[in-house]
Amino acid sequence: IVTAIEKAGWKRDCDVLDTWFSSALWPFSTLGWPDQTPEVGAFYPGDVLCTAREIITLWVSRMVMMGQYCVGDIPFRDVFIHAMIQDGEGRKMSKSLGNGIDPLDIIDSHGADAMRYTLAAMTTQTQDVRMPVERMTLPDGREVNSSPKFDIGRNFCNKLWNASRFAMMNLAGMPSWSDISPGAHLFDRWILSRLNAAARDATMALEGFKFNELADKLYHFIWDDFCDWYLEVAKIRINAGEQTPKAIVAHCLDMILRLMHPIAPFITEAIWDSLNALAPCRGPGDDQAEPVLARANWPHADACASDPRAVEDFSLLQDLIRQVRNVRMQHNVPPSRKVPAQALVANDQRVKALLEDNLQLVMAMAGLESVEITDT
């Protein structure tokens, strides 16, 4: 039967593939298959496919079946089905509704790393996440869609940048790791134990595709443990002439940058370059640091650094300092005013010894003029 189209001189191209059929061939057809090219041997099968849920049947299942049929192996070992970002009202972002957010606008207003961190922190194990959309004016005067959610990422990246600059200002004359005793001071044992836990938890979250947990674990370690506590303690000790905190700070910053690099590659690479200039050899082993952070090894948790006793003891001191600060705030005591305090330690020699051993740091952190320790 000759169709009207054929009578008109049209001819069907025998090489045209259905779009999903051609998509099913993508994992290996792009590598030179059916020839046994070096690329096929090196890159097939892959490790992970990241996709949205609406094309699992159309694309993912077809790639699996065609990979088995044509090459004899599945094209990937894991499939990560990411969430769909909706606006604040639960609607799909689209140009027609005008509720979409252009990533380039967020990079202009907040920075690429801030955008990456925010999106990673929102990547829960649910199918959909909501992002409220608001209009904002960029420095160049353009009106664009944005979201207050990205302020979280920007604030965290600013904190990491400023804390790193502050830390590196105190690294002059840093001793080598072999010249210090990192286990001699409670605060050092505590931060190294917390660092070990952060590396362990971050690795487990990353390997389990739980990117929100990765972002959350690193956020609290960097902001709460490293910045709010250890850097403050280290500054007091360094000003008093101690050298050990310098090596500990350099090691912690090294580990933090490597852990944060998958989420915030630009800011961490910039800080890494500055850290290498100040402390090219750092951490256990005093190894020469990799010049480029992107090529540095992923940090592994060190079980030997785990110290539950140090974490428990430091928590007691943290609680004491917080209580004193709360009382000062309740009574509007100016930060510059040093006040005397009395510590009641009843029938607990361990707590009493802990307080006596760390009295000067507690006084400095809590703004105390003197502390009288009594058990009555």
Side-chain angles (χ1 to χ4, degrees):
I1 300 174
V2 180
T3 65
I5 294 177
E6 290 172 329
K7 287 181 179 180
W10 293 93
K11 181 181 178 182
R12 183 186 298 274
D13 192 324
C14 61
D15 290 334
V16 173
L17 295 176
D18 166 80
T19 180
W20 296 116
F21 184 84
S22 62
S23 298
L25 304 176
W26 181 88
F28 47 87
S29 63
T30 56
L31 302 176
W33 179 89
D35 296 333
Q36 291 301 314
T37 64
E39 289 78 13
V40 172
F43 301 110
Y44 191 93
D47 292 323
V48 182
L49 175 72
C50 180
T51 186
R53 65 181 183 272
E54 66 265 20
I55 58 173
I56 293 175
T57 302
L58 293 170
W59 195 342
V60 179
S61 62
R62 284 169 164 81
M63 285 192 283
V64 172
M65 289 184 287
M66 292 302 292
Q68 290 177 309
Y69 181 79
C70 296
V71 189
D73 197 358
I74 58 176
F76 29 75
R77 304 301 177 191
D78 292 289
V79 178
F80 177 72
I81 303 171
H82 61 71
M84 180 70 69
I85 299 180
Q86 303 172 339
D87 69 6
E89 299 177 18
R91 301 175 300 175
K92 186 175 181 178
M93 292 186 178
S94 68
K95 290 184 179 180
S96 59
L97 292 176
N99 64 341
I101 296 178
D102 189 337
L104 294 178
D105 292 334
I106 304 304
I107 293 174
D108 288 341
S109 61
H110 291 76
D113 287 335
M115 181 181 69
R116 289 170 64 103
Y117 177 83
T118 301
L119 294 177
M122 292 177 63
T123 308
T124 62
Q125 306 307 306
T126 58
Q127 291 187 334
D128 300 308
V129 293
R130 293 192 179 188
M131 176 176 285
V133 179
E134 297 179 0
R135 298 292 289 176
M136 73 171 296
T137 303
L138 296 180
D140 59 10
R142 287 184 293 135
E143 290 280 341
V144 300
N145 282 350
S146 183
S147 175
K149 288 274 189 178
F150 293 109
D151 292 348
I152 299 172
R154 180 183 58 190
N155 294 341
F156 183 50
C157 288
N158 285 342
K159 183 72 171 182
L160 176 61
W161 179 263
N162 291 328
S164 299
R165 289 182 59 194
F166 173 79
M168 289 186 289
M169 288 171 56
N170 291 279
L171 294 185
M174 184 194 79
S176 65
W177 196 268
S178 58
D179 293 334
I180 67 171
S181 300
H185 201 287
L186 169 64
F187 288 21
D188 295 338
R189 298 197 307 275
W190 170 77
I191 194 62
L192 292 176
S193 183
R194 296 293 299 136
L195 178 63
N196 170 76
R200 179 198 63 215
D201 294 343
T203 301
M204 292 176 60
L206 194 60
E207 291 177 345
F209 305 102
K210 298 178 180 179
F211 305 117
N212 61 312
E213 291 186 13
L214 171 68
D216 182 69
K217 296 291 184 181
L218 294 179
Y219 180 97
H220 286 291
F221 171 74
I222 294 171
W223 197 305
D224 298 341
D225 295 339
F226 183 67
C227 296
D228 286 357
W229 286 99
Y230 190 75
L231 278 186
E232 293 300 316
V233 172
K235 178 177 67 174
I236 296 171
R237 293 170 59 193
I238 291 172
N239 289 338
E242 288 192 57
Q243 299 300 307
T244 295
K246 295 181 179 181
I248 304 289
V249 166
H251 173 53
C252 288
L253 187 55
D254 174 286
M255 294 276 283
I256 285 171
L257 295 176
R258 286 188 278 163
L259 291 168
M260 276 293 296
H261 190 62
I263 302 179
F266 300 103
I267 188 173
T268 51
E269 193 73 68
I271 298 171
W272 182 269
D273 186 63
S274 299
L275 181 60
N276 280 352
L278 291 170
C281 298
R282 53 185 179 265
D286 291 315
D287 297 326
Q288 183 79 26
E290 170 64 47
V292 179
L293 176 55
R295 294 175 58 88
N297 292 330
W298 179 256
H300 296 288
D302 179 10
C304 296
S306 180
D307 194 334
R309 179 66 175 267
V311 172
E312 181 183 354
D313 288 347
F314 189 79
S315 296
L316 290 173
L317 298 181
Q318 282 179 304
D319 187 55
L320 172 60
I321 293 169
R322 290 193 187 100
Q323 295 292 349
V324 174
R325 289 174 174 175
N326 288 340
V327 172
R328 292 175 64 99
M329 291 179 59
Q330 292 170 5
H331 294 276
N332 298 317
V333 179
S336 58
R337 181 182 171 187
K338 304 295 183 182
V339 297
Q342 186 178 72
L344 175 62
V345 182
N347 301 322
D348 196 330
Q349 294 302 313
R350 171 172 163 262
V351 174
K352 182 178 181 181
L354 177 65
L355 184 57
E356 290 174 340
D357 292 342
N358 299 278
L359 192 57
Q360 294 303 314
L361 282 175
V362 170
M363 291 170 57
M365 295 287 287
L368 297 177
E369 179 184 52
S370 60
V371 177
E372 178 189 356
I373 302 176
T374 177
D375 54 8
T376 60

